[in-house]
Every structure is written in C-alpha cells, then in structure tokens.
C-alpha cells in the first residue's frame, strides 16, 4: 500500500527510531511492502520507516529502474534493519541530495566517501557490505533518518540549498 510521506516539520521525523526486535513477522513484512510501494510510486532511491511515520530502524534503498537515477544502477536493492555505519578512511565527498520528505529542494551535502554498513535483512540474517560514492551517500542519507536527521541539517554552504528549478532548471542531478 502506498503510504503518505511525512514532510520536514513533522516532529515524527526528528525521533531516534527504535530497534527492530522480531524478524520475519507479518508486521515487518507489511511494513516493507508498504515502503517498497511508496518508494516505487515516488521514484525514490531510498526510504526510511520514519518517513511513513513508523518509529523503527528500517531503511530500504536501491537503483530500481528510474531514469532519474543513472548513478543508482549500481546500488543493490537492499533492506537494512538496525544498521551501523563505519567510515572506511577519512575521505569525504560533497554531492547533491534531495529527500522525499523535503520535496522540490536540493542541497549540497558532505558525506563519507567510503563506508561499511552492517545490519540485518528482513529475515534477521546479518548483512555486511562496503560501499562508496552514490551508494555510500544513499546509505548515509537513509540511516540519518533513523536518528532524526534530515539532510538540510548537514548542509554547510546554505547558498547551495534551494529549489530544484532555480538551481538546475530542467536538468537536476540524481538525488534521493
Ligand atoms: Ni530522505
């Protein structure tokens, strides 16, 4: 079922979400189905459970087939639960981000260039993967939602935060 996505200003986006304690349950399956439907409908590159008002540490992301995300083709379709992120090296990279909870805008955000993420899939199986570039950016963006952080809070140069049409015209860069 397609769910409505909360927008910045809703206090539910600012919570530190709760860990998932039971895997393979009908409730978790239903949540993930709704998240997939919602992300596909909105052509997002990722979605976090708090964005549909669910206070759990669950994110999904992936390349899908959206032509809006040519860089996202290399991002594997992933369910990531109770994630932990570890920077690999100290290199950071700036890039444009958007967010389904901040519609119509983009901001220039520094992120770790490479990282390792660890967590669980929907069956409770341990997942460990290394990522870089756009893949790493999407993971950091989505996992930030689990700690109540929206990307505008990470924009350092506010002259590079604005409406898509004003910043880029008809040719916006890929972003969540
Ligand atoms: Ni977002």
């Amino acid at each position: 079922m397609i769910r409505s996505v909360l927008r910045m200003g809703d206090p539910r986006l600012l919570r530190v979400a709760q860990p998932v304690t039971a895997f393979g349950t009908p409730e978790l399956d239903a949540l993930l189905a709704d998240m997939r439907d919602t992300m596909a409908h909105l052509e997002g590159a990722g979605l976090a459970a708090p964005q549909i008002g669910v206070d759990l540490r669950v994110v999904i992301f992936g390349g899908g087939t959206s032509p809006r995300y040519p860089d996202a083709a290399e991002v594997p379709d992933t369910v990531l639960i109770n994630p932990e992120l570890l920077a690999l090296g100290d290199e950071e990279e700036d890039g444009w981000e958007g967010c389904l909870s901040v519609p119509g805008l983009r901001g220039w955000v520094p992120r770790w260039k490479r990282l390792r993420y660890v967590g669980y899939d929907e069956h409770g199986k341990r997942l460990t993967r290394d990522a870089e570039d756009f893949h790493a950016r999407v993971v950091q963006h989505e996992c930030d939602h689990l700690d109540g952080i929206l990307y505008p809070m990470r924009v350092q140069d506010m002259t590079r935060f604005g409406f898509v049409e004003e910043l880029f015209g008809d040719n916006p860069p890929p972003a969540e």
Side-chain angles (χ1 to χ4, degrees), residues 83-157:
E84 292 169 46
L85 307 188
L86 173 73
L88 296 177
D90 52 13
E91 196 175 346
E92 292 197 347
E93 196 166 62
D94 295 311
W96 290 104
E97 293 188 20
C99 180
L100 298 175
S101 295
V102 193
L105 289 96
R106 292 284 188 277
W108 186 246
V109 181
R111 298 286 188 185
W112 298 333
K113 181 173 170 60
R114 292 185 189 81
L115 59 77
R116 174 166 299 152
Y117 56 93
V118 179
Y120 299 89
D121 72 7
E122 64 265 52
H123 309 294
K125 185 167 176 263
R126 195 90 171 145
L127 172 69
T128 302
R129 194 180 282 152
D130 292 354
E132 61 182 12
D133 300 327
F134 186 72
H135 182 184
R137 176 171 300 277
V138 169
V139 173
Q140 290 170 88
H141 177 113
E142 296 311 327
C143 291
D144 262 358
H145 279 295
L146 306 180
D147 292 325
I149 298 169
L150 299 166
Y151 83 79
M153 301 174 186
R154 294 200 182 273
V155 172
Q156 294 177 343
D157 177 357

Side-chain angles (χ1 to χ4, degrees), residues 8-17 50 145 147-150 153:
M8 186 169 65
D10 190 305
R12 290 172 289 178
L13 289 169
L14 302 177
R15 296 183 291 198
V16 175
H145 279 295
D147 292 325
I149 298 169
L150 299 166
M153 301 174 186

